[in-house]
Amino acid sequence: MTSKQRVNGLSTDPASELQTLRKRLAEADAVLDAIRTGGIDALFVAGDRGGQVLELQGAEHDYRLLVEEMGEGAMTVTANGHLYFANRRLAAILGVPRDALTGSTLAEHIAPADRQAYQDWLQTGSPRPQRRMELDLLSAGGAKVPCHLSFTELPPAQKHGAFSVIVTDLSAHKSAEEAVRQSEHRLKTIVENLPIGVWFLDQQGQITYGNPTAAQIWGGKDFSRYSDRTGGSTGGSTGGDTGRNTGGSTGCGIAGSEPTLRELAVAPQQQAAVRAIRHGEMILNEELDILSLDGSRKTILSSAVPIHDREGEIVGAVVLNQDITDRKAAEEQIEQLAFFDALTQLPNRRLLIDRLGQVLAAIRRSAQHGAILFIDLDHFKDLNDSLGHDVGDQLLIQVAKRLSTCVRSRDTVARLGGDEFVVVLDGLSPEANRAAGQARSIAAKVQRTLAQPYELGTYIHHSTPSIGAALIDATEASVDELLKRADLAMYQAKEAGRNTLRFFDPEMQTAFDLRTRMEAQLREGLRAGQFVLHYQPQVDDAGQMIGAEALVRWAHPERGLLSPATFIHLAEESGLILQLGEWVLQAACAQLAAWSQHGSCDERTLAINISARQFREPHFVGMVRTALNRYGIRPHRLKLELTESLLLEDVEDTIHKMAALRELGLRFALDDFGTGYSSLSYLKRLPLDELKIDRSFVDEVTTDANDAAIVRAVLALAPQLGLPVIAEGVETDAQRRFLISNGCHGFQGYLFGRPGPADALNGDALNEHA
Ligand SMILES: Nc1nc2c(ncn2[C@@H]2O[C@H](COP(=O)(O)O[C@H]3[C@@H](O)[C@H](n4cnc5c(=O)[nH]c(N)nc54)O[C@@H]3COP(=O)(O)O)[C@@H](O)[C@H]2O)c(=O)[nH]1
């Protein structure tokens, strides 16, 4: 900007002269100020012979430019606090035009709360000391602008007591600082509240920070105290290993010279932090068992990451600890439940199969032998039934303990369920005979040990085991097959009179293979609908058909029509009888429904055989009810044939189920009567409708006096029990006549008709023998 001012000559009037002088002095002052502040580039000095223009140049001009262009605000202030110069930057900071700043007081630009500090300095007598202050200035809109102000008194030659102020706007700096502060706060809040223990360690391994979770994990309230007294370094040993992978992996493990800390520690090379600091290793999720300061044992996951400075030097480490004690306990509990029997704590079937797999693999490598002992307690069921399951459980627990004492710790003792136990022996002789001898002597020991009396509460119990043994060799037999072999041998032991040992042999193997094949075929047969029902008539003494017995047949695709004698036993053992029995029930109901369509057959009853396993099924009653409803059968037309042994198996269950079925309207026949040991008083408790004299008595009833006597006795007794009798297996007319003469009115046998398809039931044929 260019402006020119003129200095005029003086007037001669003293009063006006004084006034003019004053005015001129004020103007001069203003000019000088203008020169100082850069408002003037050139000066016209008037003289007698005109005037002269003086250009303002040089250092002062440079300084002025410098002050104008500088990035800081700058002002000069009179001794009493009025601004007489402000640079562009200051005007921008305050948002006030420069002209408006000149003449204003500095105090009015300072926020009220900060004014006093400035006032105090202002009132210090001249020369004032240089002073720096952080104050909030006020912008034109009244907003606070955080600034740094540097006050410097100007040399007295310039203006007495005047001072300059350099103003730095701290807004950006402050908000950056605030952002950093907030970020730090956020981070700290996160770290303090993390459910993971976090440690910071310096290069000496001293703890510089530990969050509350870290303290909690290690049972210390304030871990920082350990860092004060350690004097320890990463190189220092901190104690020995206290157990399985036991160790301190945190800073306290490194830094501690405290006895308690020594207890926590393990060999330094095991400590994650030490390895991170010493070797720059990054360690992730090492599982460690620790002893924390409060004495509790914990399992933690420990990770450590080295911290580097800008030059890449390791200056410490950050360690993370996660307490997984509860998780481990839960995992162990799950494993316990999944792999161990809850009653005896022995390995269960699943774990046994796994161990057996390992033993088999080892045997294939080593050419040694192993053996499986399949142990079943004799008459265990009787104990359970008579004294209750609690007492039975006590026996099983004691058996489990005794078994474990009979074998080496490397052998496996498992409980399969019920009263079945399995012992797996490995490391037996490579020579088969010797290995069998070894297995035999261990089995004998088991037998002796289990035969000792048991104290079951106040009761002394005697129990014996039946043991099946199978050698494990390097052949291709699978784990399942090996188990089945031992199982089979155990059944042989049972059949041999119990309390004995039987070895699986090759003949058994052939039978076993056959059985396995048959079982698979049976399963397939059921799936493919290969079963049919044949019907054998039951007649009265006039030869009139009163009903029939349904007898299942297997239409085997290769072997033709098979008698149930060849497969019922296997179906029962394999459990397939449940499926087969249900099919028979449905097919019989369907047949009864079909007969209902023909008025003459409408009153026929149909007897079906029920196996014990089927009858014991919890859903048996419901299954029968469903079948009756499905085919709309009048229940009294269906007769269930139950054997004596079935009825005696679990008396209470039998009575309960029979009563439920009787309520539905079903009828019952006692099959094979005379072959068992039924007590008559007991039979009276059962809701029976009919006795079937077993075919074995009928067979020789005319030739064998004993059989004749038995049959007579049964026929004499039955009316007293209120039960009609059917004699089965009647093949000759002589047999029929004997039976009729002794009061029998129901017959079944080849004499009246062989079992055959439904449409072969022929009333005329029956009448021949009437
Ligand atoms: N759980 C189930 N068991 C069933 C079922 N079907 C049959 N069976 C049982 O299988 C066993 C053998 O039955 P099967 O070969 O059919 O033999 C029966 C008759 O054919 C035979 N019988 C009948 N009359 C005579 C005769 O005059 N002589 C002679 N030698 N045999 C004859 O007797 C068998 C009937 O026995 P029973 O059941 O005891 O009345 C057999 O035990 C059947 O029970 C089934 O579906 N489920």
Side-chain angles (χ1 to χ4, degrees):
M1 181 178 80
T2 304
S3 79
K4 295 194 176 180
Q5 303 218 350
R6 183 180 295 272
V7 181
N8 294 321
L10 295 174
S11 152
T12 49
D13 175 14
S16 69
E17 213 172 79
L18 186 61
Q19 201 180 359
T20 306
L21 188 60
R22 280 199 182 123
K23 195 177 161 206
R24 282 189 182 170
L25 277 171
E27 280 174 350
D29 240 344
V31 168
L32 283 171
D33 271 349
I35 292 168
R36 206 178 286 125
T37 61
I40 293 171
D41 293 334
L43 190 67
F44 178 78
V45 183
D48 291 342
R49 283 171 284 137
Q52 188 185 351
V53 175
L54 295 177
E55 297 285 338
L56 293 174
Q57 287 175 339
E60 191 170 351
H61 184 257
D62 290 348
Y63 286 134
R64 207 178 63 219
L65 264 181
L66 194 67
V67 170
E68 271 308 314
E69 297 306 322
M70 65 195 266
E72 314 294 318
M75 63 181 120
T76 47
V77 186
T78 62
N80 57 4
H82 286 82
L83 271 75
Y84 63 92
F85 166 75
N87 73 351
R88 268 201 292 265
R89 175 72 186 129
L90 183 65
I93 290 171
L94 296 177
V96 178
R98 280 170 72 164
D99 294 351
L101 284 175
T102 311
S104 64
T105 66
L106 174 53
E108 70 193 72
H109 298 294
I110 296 176
D114 292 349
R115 255 173 224 159
Q116 194 55 48
Y118 159 68
Q119 300 284 16
D120 290 349
W121 179 80
L122 188 64
Q123 274 149 31
T124 319
S126 186
R128 298 184 189 83
Q130 192 178 28
R131 175 68 60 85
R132 290 185 174 83
M133 295 182 209
E134 271 191 26
L135 303 173
D136 285 340
L137 298 187
L138 293 172
S139 73
K144 287 179 184 171
V145 184
C147 291
H148 179 273
L149 283 73
S150 175
F151 296 84
T152 310
E153 190 159 305
L154 296 172
Q158 291 198 349
K159 229 179 191 187
H160 184 72
F163 55 92
S164 68
V165 185
I166 302 296
V167 179
T168 308
D169 182 355
L170 298 178
S171 306
H173 178 73
K174 286 277 178 195
S175 41
E177 217 175 54
E178 178 60 15
V180 169
R181 204 188 59 73
Q182 279 186 10
S183 157
E184 269 182 2
H185 177 72
R186 256 197 314 274
L187 271 178
K188 192 164 183 212
T189 310
I190 291 169
V191 174
E192 292 274 309
N193 291 293
L194 266 184
I196 289 176
V198 181
W199 302 95
F200 285 97
L201 294 101
D202 66 15
Q203 210 245 328
Q204 274 68 46
Q206 294 190 0
I207 304 162
T208 54
Y209 171 78
N211 73 351
T213 307
Q216 200 185 359
I217 288 174
W218 288 88
K221 284 197 182 113
D222 177 10
F223 271 86
S224 57
R225 68 199 167 100
Y226 296 115
S227 60
D228 306 339
R229 59 172 107 166
T230 60
S233 76
T234 53
S237 170
T238 50
D241 196 333
T242 54
R244 177 180 77 81
N245 200 22
T246 303
S249 63
T250 69
C252 55
I254 297 171
S257 56
E258 233 315 280
T260 46
L261 293 180
R262 280 178 187 279
E263 283 173 36
L264 300 176
V266 277
Q269 65 273 17
Q270 278 200 27
Q271 296 167 7
V274 174
R275 277 143 59 202
I277 294 172
R278 272 210 224 150
H279 310 298
E281 275 181 55
M282 179 146 97
I283 290 100
L284 291 179
N285 288 333
E286 278 189 352
E287 193 178 305
L288 295 170
D289 288 341
I290 61 163
L291 177 66
S292 77
L293 288 175
D294 60 13
S296 57
R297 293 199 170 272
K298 294 176 181 167
T299 307
I300 63 168
L301 284 183
S302 185
S303 303
V305 179
I307 304 172
H308 297 92
D309 64 11
R310 284 170 186 232
E311 280 70 47
E313 292 295 316
I314 295 170
V315 290
V318 56
V319 176
L320 306 177
N321 291 160
Q322 198 182 346
D323 186 350
I324 56 165
T325 315
D326 291 346
R327 194 179 86 196
K328 289 290 285 181
E331 277 171 11
E332 271 164 29
Q333 200 183 355
I334 289 168
E335 189 182 288
Q336 183 73 19
L337 288 174
F339 293 105
F340 291 86
D341 169 48
L343 180 69
T344 60
Q345 311 306 323
L346 289 179
N348 62 12
R349 177 184 285 272
R350 190 189 291 184
L351 186 54
L352 169 74
I353 303 262
D354 184 62
R355 298 251 178 102
L356 207 44
Q358 291 173 23
V359 168
L360 199 55
I363 282 171
R364 283 181 184 147
R365 284 194 303 271
S366 68
Q368 282 183 314
H369 280 88
I372 300 175
L373 304 181
F374 202 112
I375 300 156
D376 186 284
L377 304 183
D378 298 332
H379 306 298
F380 174 72
K381 200 173 170 317
D382 296 348
L383 173 77
N384 248 352
D385 289 347
S386 53
L387 295 180
H389 287 263
D390 289 349
V391 177
D393 285 354
Q394 281 183 47
L395 176 67
L396 294 173
I397 292 168
Q398 291 188 34
V399 165
K401 285 186 183 144
R402 289 191 193 182
L403 278 176
S404 302
T405 65
C406 295
V407 296
R408 299 159 303 175
S409 57
R410 61 187 273 185
D411 298 323
T412 297
V413 178
R415 179 176 173 228
L416 290 192
D419 59 343
E420 288 179 345
F421 295 85
V422 167
V423 173
V424 180
L425 308 167
D426 74 341
L428 303 184
S429 168
E431 207 242 299
N433 278 345
R434 284 205 57 198
Q438 289 168 326
R440 190 182 302 278
S441 70
I442 294 170
K445 185 175 172 192
V446 166
Q447 234 179 329
R448 276 196 310 276
T449 309
L450 297 192
Q452 298 302 312
Y454 296 84
E455 254 183 59
L456 306 176
T458 54
Y459 180 71
I460 299 295
H461 178 71
H462 292 270
S463 172
T464 54
S466 293
I467 305 176
L471 276 191
I472 311 172
D473 56 20
T475 57
E476 289 306 303
S478 69
V479 163
D480 269 355
E481 278 165 15
L482 287 169
L483 264 179
K484 277 192 176 164
R485 285 179 187 179
D487 187 12
L488 215 58
M490 190 275 291
Y491 272 105
Q492 298 282 312
K494 287 264 183 223
E495 276 170 22
R498 297 186 160 85
N499 189 21
T500 188
L501 166 73
R502 280 288 178 277
F503 259 86
F504 178 80
D505 68 25
E507 262 179 42
M508 221 188 260
Q509 176 73 61
T510 313
F512 170 77
D513 289 346
L514 191 68
R515 192 186 115 134
T516 310
R517 242 192 343 269
M518 272 281 275
E519 193 181 312
Q521 290 176 348
L522 197 57
R523 205 176 293 278
E524 171 58 19
L526 276 165
R527 200 194 58 73
Q530 293 169 358
F531 292 86
V532 290
L533 280 190
H534 276 189
Y535 301 88
Q536 186 175 32
Q538 294 177 331
V539 301
D540 60 16
D541 40 14
Q544 290 294 328
M545 190 166 119
I546 50 176
E549 179 180 1
L551 295 156
V552 70
R553 302 285 183 263
W554 181 3
H556 194 282
E558 293 149 21
R559 297 165 61 193
L561 204 61
L562 297 184
S563 152
T566 59
F567 60 84
I568 286 287
H569 184 63
L570 179 61
E572 280 181 348
E573 279 172 14
S574 62
L576 289 170
I577 192 71
L578 302 179
Q579 224 179 312
L580 180 63
E582 187 169 359
W583 178 85
V584 168
L585 175 69
Q586 302 272 350
C589 287
Q591 187 57 62
L592 276 171
W595 282 339
S596 296
Q597 306 297 314
H598 302 90
S600 59
C601 310
D602 196 25
E603 281 311 311
R604 274 183 198 167
T605 59
L606 187 55
I608 59 172
N609 291 280
I610 302 296
S611 85
R613 189 144 179 193
Q614 192 182 358
F615 187 75
R616 295 285 163 235
E617 263 298 281
H619 311 299
F620 181 67
V621 176
M623 190 180 82
V624 174
R625 188 189 297 117
T626 308
L628 292 173
N629 292 340
R630 181 175 170 197
Y631 292 97
I633 305 303
R634 281 179 291 139
H636 73 275
R637 296 182 62 205
L638 191 63
K639 201 160 35 174
L640 306 186
E641 289 196 7
L642 311 174
T643 59
E644 276 186 69
S645 53
L646 178 153
L647 294 178
L648 286 169
E649 221 176 59
D650 182 345
V651 180
E652 292 314 315
D653 181 56
T654 303
I655 293 174
H656 178 72
K657 275 204 178 124
M658 284 177 81
L661 290 162
R662 166 55 68 88
E663 283 235 324
L664 293 179
L666 271 96
R667 301 207 285 162
F668 299 100
L670 178 53
D671 204 2
D672 305 340
F673 186 66
T675 54
Y677 304 92
S678 325
S679 103
L680 294 176
S681 58
Y682 153 70
L683 285 181
K684 276 182 83 172
R685 291 178 61 201
L686 301 175
L688 290 168
D689 298 283
E690 186 176 88
L691 295 183
K692 278 187 94 176
I693 300 181
D694 191 64
R695 159 170 110 228
S696 57
F697 301 112
V698 176
D699 204 19
E700 297 187 18
V701 76
T702 54
T703 52
D704 185 304
N706 282 338
D707 287 353
I710 291 172
V711 170
R712 266 196 212 97
V714 171
L715 289 170
L717 175 87
Q720 292 173 39
L721 292 170
L723 295 174
V725 177
I726 281 198
E728 67 177 5
V730 183
E731 294 184 355
T732 66
D733 198 44
Q735 290 166 343
R736 185 182 73 99
R737 276 188 276 110
F738 175 90
L739 289 162
I740 289 180
S741 64
N742 283 286
C744 184
H745 304 296
F747 310 91
Q748 181 182 341
Y750 293 169
L751 182 66
F752 311 98
R754 289 180 176 258
D759 52 15
L761 279 182
N762 184 335
D764 293 340
L766 307 178
N767 288 334
E768 273 175 33
H769 305 284

